[in-house]
Amino acid sequence: MELNGKEELKGAVLHIVVVGFHHKKGCQVEYSYPPLIPEEGHDSNNLPEEWKYLPFLALPDGAHNYQEDTVFFHLPPLTGADMKCVYGVSCYRQIEAKSLKVRLADVTRETVQKSVCVLSRVPLYGLLQAKLQLITHAYFEEKDFSQISILKELYEHMNSSLSGTAVEGSQVFLGMSPRDLILHFRHKVLILFKLILLEKKVLFYVSPVNRLVGALMTVLSLFPGMIEHGLADSSHYRPKSSVSENITTGDSVSRAEDLVSVSITDIANATVELMGEDHTTSTVKASPETSTPARENTQLKPPSWTSPDSSESDWETLDPSVLEEGTRDSETGGSGGLEHPETGIPVTVQPRGLSAGPGGQGAVSQGLVSGLEEDQYGLPLAIFTKGYLCLPYMALQQHHLLSDVTVRGFVAGATNILFRQQRHLSDAIVDVEEAKLQIGDPELRKVLGLTTADLRFADYLVKHVTENREDVFLDGTGWEGGDEWIRAQFGLYIHSLLSSTLLEDNEKLLADWGAPFISAWRITHNYRVWFINKHPAMAEITPGHPFQGQYSAADLKLRFSHSVQNSERGKKMGAAVITTSRSVVQTGKAVGQSVGGALSSAKSAMSSWFSTLAPPAIVPTSASSPDPQLPTETKP
């Protein structure tokens, strides 16, 4: 994604904004260059309606507890603007009011809290953060916040230095370390990876914000091309006050096409109705005569949950068979769309590319279906599109998005405990501090269970990351076990996974990935978008799990170790063993030295036995058929 043409003239940086905390008005914009609203001045507090949450994102909740912090956040595009997601980076600091050279009348507290943030067109989080931290430090060292010339210079410097910059290479991942992520989460990183592939509602939780957004964006950096090109449509939401109960039909059509996926049940019913009337008709347009009844019920109804513990809503993705039928219609001249049975809104399924290519197949057309800049393998996957949001930091004022019917799902970060307490609004809560993954739905836990081949892959990563960590000077500098190496391994994993799904009849091969996971992934939006387009380069990828192979005793130890470390029952058992051993040793000391010595030896033997359950070293083996007798799934 190069900045050229119209975008280059506008510049990579849209605005430099200063957000402060007013003792009466709360968080508000104090300065913006250029003005956020062109008709108003640099010191205007007014904001575009789409960016009403900007002050709360730039100056995060609980910021007063930290001397300084950094925030990554996403803003929706402005109405009528020729752009996608707006990427925000904010540096927060606080200073004692008595140290100010110029103290304005509205400074009534002992400390002054302000954030300097950059609103950009390009997702260069780490690079923008590095530049912004220096300027923010200099701005505060002036101890006179009326000196805004340094902010204007920052705007001009950033636009000149980023002019013509391609969003590729290592600069995109500056500050994102998969190595540290694996050291902290270990094999749970793979569960997170598969969880996002399923487009579930994932909430990251930790404080301060810098640690939160760092962990979240590092997970996303494991998806090939996701940071560079996959987040363009990740912030298409509407502020709460903008969602009117009496919206027009035209607005409903726009919202449904851009933000909502239709449930499998609704599509099946619609298919039956359409086939009963006219099998050749695939799209029913909303005409002035037929749109009148739809206006009576244009507001989308909220989803119904099957149980309080499950977040599986009715707003799910299309059935693959319906999609294939829509594709055949599109090839014969139809538009491939279906009408929503309640609102009468045409739901369009875009056709595959029909331009002639090698072998008579449709050639790859950039963004034909996903709207993203894809490579020859169809990556990045269209995960953060059509109402699936990526919000690295979510302010408390955005809480309504968790239950908004126009939001299919999200990967969001929060520091406020209120987000974590309402577990029914999320499918999974990631406690970054404790490296815990809380999934309430037992069926989802079963789907995400790591297979033996997955455990081998995760153990392979952990082994390479943890070895030779004693050498401080060489730590993380080599290729194997380094950040780029880890991203390359996940690239191999997703390429092999996509290639394997094309072999529908090979159940043994798919079992290495987890049959429940494959079935769940095939009905997601991102997989259907990838599947409907032709990607000739996939023919170069060998199907099958990179760590497939015959099972051995080492796999049994690996699975047992995984179960003990992650299941609640295993953790309780381990804690009970430790507690019991400690109590027995103390009792032995009270009885006598000889008894204590014997019990100490017993404890040593028990510890030695548990050490044998550590994950063994795994080396990729050649493909062979798995043993059906060994279970391939476990609860995380």
Side-chain angles (χ1 to χ4, degrees):
M1 184 173 66
E2 288 198 14
L3 303 177
N4 48 31
K6 190 175 181 180
E7 289 192 359
E8 185 176 1
L9 295 176
K10 290 182 179 180
V13 175
L14 298 171
H15 302 277
I16 303 294
V17 182
V18 176
V19 175
F21 184 84
H22 193 274
H23 66 285
K24 291 184 178 180
K25 301 178 182 178
C27 297
Q28 64 175 6
V29 172
E30 298 179 345
Y31 170 82
S32 60
Y33 182 85
L36 293 176
I37 300 179
E39 296 79 13
E40 302 186 12
H42 298 289
D43 57 351
S44 173
N45 304 131
N46 296 326
L47 291 165
E49 179 65 16
E50 296 85 352
W51 293 355
K52 62 180 296 184
Y53 301 127
L54 172 59
F56 311 105
L57 294 169
L59 200 59
D61 187 30
H64 59 279
N65 296 323
Y66 302 94
Q67 195 66 26
E68 56 183 315
D69 203 359
T70 304
V71 188
F72 300 160
F73 58 90
H74 293 166
L75 292 175
L78 297 177
T79 301
D82 184 20
M83 69 175 70
K84 299 291 185 178
C85 173
V86 176
Y87 308 95
V89 178
S90 172
C91 285
Y92 156 82
R93 290 178 65 93
Q94 60 178 340
I95 188 175
E96 293 184 354
K98 62 182 181 181
S99 65
L100 293 176
K101 295 179 180 179
V102 178
R103 182 167 179 171
L104 302 179
D106 59 354
V107 179
T108 59
R109 297 192 171 191
E110 296 181 356
T111 59
V112 178
Q113 305 166 356
K114 292 184 186 295
S115 281
V116 181
C117 60
V118 174
L119 303 184
S120 172
R121 302 175 187 275
V122 292
L124 298 174
Y125 305 94
L127 184 61
L128 294 175
Q129 176 186 355
K131 294 177 178 291
L132 189 58
Q133 283 178 330
L134 295 175
I135 297 300
T136 302
H137 179 77
Y139 182 54
F140 271 75
E141 285 298 313
E142 290 286 337
K143 298 179 181 178
D144 180 6
F145 295 118
S146 63
Q147 301 295 325
I148 58 177
S149 58
I150 190 174
L151 302 177
K152 294 181 180 179
E153 294 175 1
L154 173 64
Y155 174 81
E156 295 172 356
H157 166 72
M158 282 192 168
N159 273 324
S160 61
S161 62
L162 297 177
S163 177
T165 301
V167 187
E168 302 288 352
S170 59
Q171 64 178 2
V172 176
F173 306 113
L174 185 64
M176 303 176 191
S177 176
R179 182 181 177 87
D180 294 339
L181 187 73
I182 290 180
L183 286 172
H184 189 54
F185 282 92
R186 301 180 74 84
H187 53 269
K188 297 176 187 175
V189 172
L190 185 55
I191 299 177
L192 280 173
F193 187 84
K194 299 178 78 170
L195 187 64
I196 296 175
L197 280 178
L198 295 182
E199 298 177 352
K200 296 300 180 181
K201 300 178 179 180
V202 185
L203 181 70
F204 285 72
Y205 177 84
V206 76
S207 187
V209 182
N210 186 31
R211 188 176 181 187
L212 172 74
V213 298
L216 189 151
M217 297 308 299
T218 302
V219 172
L220 297 186
S221 72
L222 301 177
F223 293 83
M226 186 61 70
I227 301 294
E228 303 95 309
H229 308 296
L231 302 176
D233 297 327
S234 64
S235 63
H236 280 58
Y237 63 85
R238 296 198 175 195
K240 192 172 184 180
S241 60
S242 297
V243 182
S244 173
E245 294 185 0
N246 297 319
I247 56 179
T248 62
T249 304
D251 192 24
S252 300
V253 173
S254 176
R255 290 176 59 193
E257 290 180 346
D258 293 339
L259 299 175
V260 180
S261 291
V262 184
S263 69
I264 299 174
T265 304
D266 291 340
I267 288 296
N269 294 337
T271 305
V272 172
E273 293 177 3
L274 291 173
M275 292 179 65
E277 295 177 4
D278 184 3
H279 181 68
T280 60
T281 304
S282 58
T283 302
V284 181
K285 299 289 184 179
S287 63
E289 293 80 12
T290 60
S291 61
T292 304
R295 291 183 179 179
E296 298 175 0
N297 190 21
T298 54
Q299 179 65 36
L300 297 173
K301 294 184 177 181
S304 59
W305 283 267
T306 56
S307 67
D309 296 331
S310 175
S311 300
E312 294 292 328
S313 67
D314 287 339
W315 294 103
E316 283 295 340
T317 49
L318 298 173
D319 186 277
S321 62
V322 177
L323 184 65
E324 292 171 2
E325 181 177 349
T327 304
R328 289 193 296 269
D329 290 342
S330 65
E331 292 175 349
T332 57
S335 59
L338 295 173
E339 185 183 59
H340 193 281
E342 295 183 357
T343 62
I345 300 171
V347 181
T348 304
V349 178
Q350 298 188 18
R352 73 178 70 202
L354 299 179
S355 55
Q361 295 181 341
V364 177
S365 178
Q366 295 287 340
L368 177 64
V369 175
S370 67
L372 306 175
E373 291 189 40
E374 302 173 355
D375 64 11
Q376 56 185 343
Y377 302 99
L379 301 175
L381 294 172
I383 296 176
F384 296 101
T385 59
K386 298 295 182 182
Y388 191 79
L389 305 181
C390 175
L391 304 174
Y393 172 69
M394 177 180 282
L396 187 60
Q397 289 75 10
Q398 296 175 297
H399 183 269
H400 69 281
L401 294 176
L402 299 183
S403 55
D404 195 326
V405 297
T406 63
V407 175
R408 291 192 301 117
F410 52 80
V411 176
T415 58
N416 195 299
I417 191 64
L418 294 177
F419 286 94
R420 183 176 180 178
Q421 289 175 341
Q422 297 186 344
R423 298 183 179 182
H424 64 285
L425 297 179
S426 304
D427 294 319
I429 298 179
V430 183
D431 188 331
V432 178
E433 179 70 29
E434 301 293 333
K436 292 182 178 179
L437 184 57
Q438 303 173 8
I439 302 176
D441 188 355
E443 291 299 321
L444 181 57
R445 289 202 301 267
K446 181 179 179 181
V447 169
L448 292 170
L450 297 183
T451 65
T452 299
D454 281 342
L455 288 175
R456 291 172 180 171
F457 172 69
D459 182 62
Y460 179 72
L461 296 177
V462 173
K463 288 283 186 183
H464 278 73
V465 168
T466 54
E467 65 184 9
N468 299 326
R469 286 192 56 81
E470 296 80 7
D471 194 332
V472 178
F473 298 100
L474 296 178
D475 183 24
T477 59
W479 164 247
E480 287 194 2
D483 293 336
E484 292 298 324
W485 179 85
I486 294 171
R487 279 189 276 265
Q489 302 309 307
F490 275 93
L492 172 62
Y493 183 91
I494 192 66
H495 281 96
S496 301
L497 174 58
L498 288 168
S499 179
S500 299
T501 58
L502 298 177
L503 304 178
E504 300 181 1
D505 298 331
N506 197 329
E507 297 181 359
K508 292 184 178 181
L509 184 145
L510 295 178
D512 284 325
W513 306 97
F517 170 76
I518 295 294
S519 299
W521 187 37
R522 277 175 168 167
I523 62 173
T524 60
H525 174 74
N526 71 83
Y527 180 80
R528 292 184 294 106
V529 168
W530 178 86
F531 183 78
I532 197 175
N533 259 353
K534 293 295 183 180
H535 308 290
M538 288 302 300
E540 304 171 2
I541 305 299
T542 303
H545 202 292
F547 286 78
Q548 63 185 344
Q550 294 181 347
Y551 298 113
S552 64
D555 294 323
L556 291 175
K557 292 181 180 180
L558 181 60
R559 180 163 296 283
F560 184 78
S561 176
H562 168 71
S563 300
V564 170
Q565 293 175 10
N566 293 278
S567 67
E568 291 300 324
R569 183 177 301 175
K571 291 179 181 178
K572 291 179 181 179
M573 183 183 70
V577 169
I578 295 174
T579 304
T580 303
S581 300
R582 186 181 298 115
S583 300
V584 170
V585 170
Q586 292 175 354
T587 303
K589 289 181 179 180
V591 173
Q593 183 67 28
S594 60
V595 178
L599 292 173
S600 297
S601 300
K603 179 185 177 183
S604 176
M606 183 177 294
S607 299
S608 177
W609 179 76
F610 267 99
S611 67
T612 63
L613 300 177
I618 299 296
V619 180
T621 58
S622 58
S624 60
S625 59
D627 185 357
Q629 301 299 325
L630 187 67
T632 58
E633 299 158 6
T634 185
K635 294 183 179 179

